Amino acid sequence: MVPYEWLDLWLACRLDNAIMRMNVKPEAIERGTVSPTFPWGAMATTRGQDLAYLTSRPATAATDGGKLYEVGVIGHGPGGKHPRETRTDSSPSKPTSHPTLEAK
């Protein structure tokens, strides 16, 4: 498990573009236009006309019953796949693992 509070710092140090807060209106979430990590939005980055932001979903509960979440990246734009490839190439976890985060 990886504590979530360090993810933003790790991204800020690893991405070649700035990481920023992407605020989202509730209507955009309700329409399914975006699926951010939190109700307010998510951390995001841009490259040219592309946007990539963090998303999460519940994972199988921990053995002690604690809540776990899987974190992913969603890309939009003409090269929307490219930011996801960059994230995968520099992921702090093993390529074959599925990192999960513990809610505290």
Side-chain angles (χ1 to χ4, degrees), residues 10-11 14-15 71-73 81-97:
W10 183 83
L11 287 170
R14 298 291 298 187
L15 292 173
V71 175
V73 177
K81 184 177 178 184
H82 185 70
R84 290 192 304 265
E85 290 171 350
T86 300
R87 195 245 6 130
T88 302
D89 292 343
S90 59
S91 174
S93 60
K94 296 176 188 174
T96 57
S97 69

Side-chain angles (χ1 to χ4, degrees), residues 14-53:
R14 298 291 298 187
L15 292 173
D16 55 353
N17 291 330
I19 186 171
M20 64 198 87
R21 181 179 170 132
M22 178 183 79
N23 294 321
V24 176
K25 292 184 177 183
E27 297 83 18
I29 297 171
E30 291 165 8
R31 283 193 310 265
T33 305
V34 293
S35 181
T37 306
F38 304 107
W40 56 260
M43 297 309 290
T45 190
T46 60
R47 177 180 290 155
Q49 297 178 340
D50 301 326
L51 166 72
Y53 66 90

